[in-house]
Amino acid sequence: MTNYSTTIAYCLLLVLLSCKSNCQEDNGKDLVPLIDFANIKEFRETKELGRIVSDYDSIFKPEERTELENLINDYNIETTRQIVVVTIDSLHGYKNVQRFATDLANYWGVGTKEENNGLAFVLCKPQRKIGIATGLGTERVLTDSICKVVIDSIMIPKFREDDFYGGTKGGVFELIKKWY
């Protein structure tokens, strides 16, 4: 009986130690970005200038960029919620576009600190990836499932037609409607 109790106690101890180790490891990964965005000139300059639409991959025409900026800026003024749209040609070593979007939004400080009400669209056309990162305050309304539906039903069909502006604007507009 003693041998059986010792074995069970040992197994429980191993389970508890592995849980603690995994939690600490995951938390560390979540807190530290994979790259230092401040060392990449384009991201540092965007933060300094406070751009709303950063078309690093040159997907949009100038008038499309302006129209998208006006839509987002008007919404920001009306609600104090902040949205940024970013197109990139590389995930800069990231494997997950969602993680890239979250880390970039955190670096830029998208959303107010008090409300954590930011939203970042990141589109990487060459790798065919799109991610929407939401702040904790935003996530109460715009859940991951809502964002996925918007990506799958509005954005991707337009992207398949090579209408990246239409897909992006349609996605932004739909999320704004749901966020009111």
Side-chain angles (χ1 to χ4, degrees):
M1 186 71 164
T2 306
N3 198 13
Y4 179 72
S5 298
T6 304
T7 303
I8 289 177
Y10 181 70
C11 288
L12 284 173
L13 179 64
L14 285 176
V15 168
L16 289 173
L17 288 175
S18 68
C19 288
K20 184 177 180 184
S21 173
N22 286 338
C23 291
Q24 288 175 344
E25 194 173 313
D26 289 344
N27 286 339
K29 286 180 185 175
D30 288 342
L31 296 176
V32 179
L34 295 178
I35 60 170
D36 183 0
F37 289 100
N39 287 332
I40 300 175
K41 182 181 176 187
E42 60 193 10
F43 298 131
R44 186 180 63 249
E45 286 177 352
T46 295
K47 179 178 182 171
E48 292 166 0
L49 297 172
R51 289 190 188 119
I52 296 171
V53 177
S54 300
D55 187 19
Y56 300 124
D57 199 22
S58 302
I59 292 173
F60 307 133
K61 297 175 187 168
E63 60 272 12
E64 292 172 337
R65 210 171 19 256
T66 300
E67 185 179 339
L68 197 53
E69 286 172 345
N70 289 338
L71 170 70
I72 294 169
N73 191 45
D74 291 347
Y75 179 73
N76 183 16
I77 290 169
E78 187 176 332
T79 65
T80 70
R81 298 173 183 149
Q82 296 178 5
I83 300 172
V84 296
V85 173
V86 183
T87 69
I88 52 177
D89 61 1
S90 161
L91 289 176
H92 297 276
Y94 280 78
K95 293 180 183 171
N96 183 310
V97 68
Q98 192 67 37
R99 172 93 190 271
F100 179 92
T102 300
D103 288 350
L104 183 62
N106 286 337
Y107 169 67
W108 281 346
V110 179
T112 63
K113 192 173 189 173
E114 303 79 33
E115 308 238 357
N116 205 348
N117 59 350
L119 184 142
F121 280 88
V122 173
L123 170 63
C124 185
K125 182 181 169 187
Q127 294 177 332
R128 301 174 58 126
K129 303 222 181 230
I130 182 162
I132 299 175
T134 57
L136 293 176
T138 304
E139 196 172 83
R140 291 186 198 121
V141 177
L142 299 177
T143 63
D144 290 344
S145 60
I146 288 173
C147 292
K148 181 171 177 15
V149 167
V150 169
I151 289 171
D152 292 344
S153 65
I154 295 173
M155 301 178 85
I156 290 177
K158 290 286 191 183
F159 293 169
R160 285 189 179 133
E161 299 170 359
D162 283 332
D163 184 4
F164 292 96
Y165 174 69
T168 303
K169 181 182 174 192
V172 169
F173 187 75
E174 186 64 24
L175 288 176
I176 285 174
K177 281 187 354 187
K178 292 183 180 303
W179 205 359
Y180 266 108

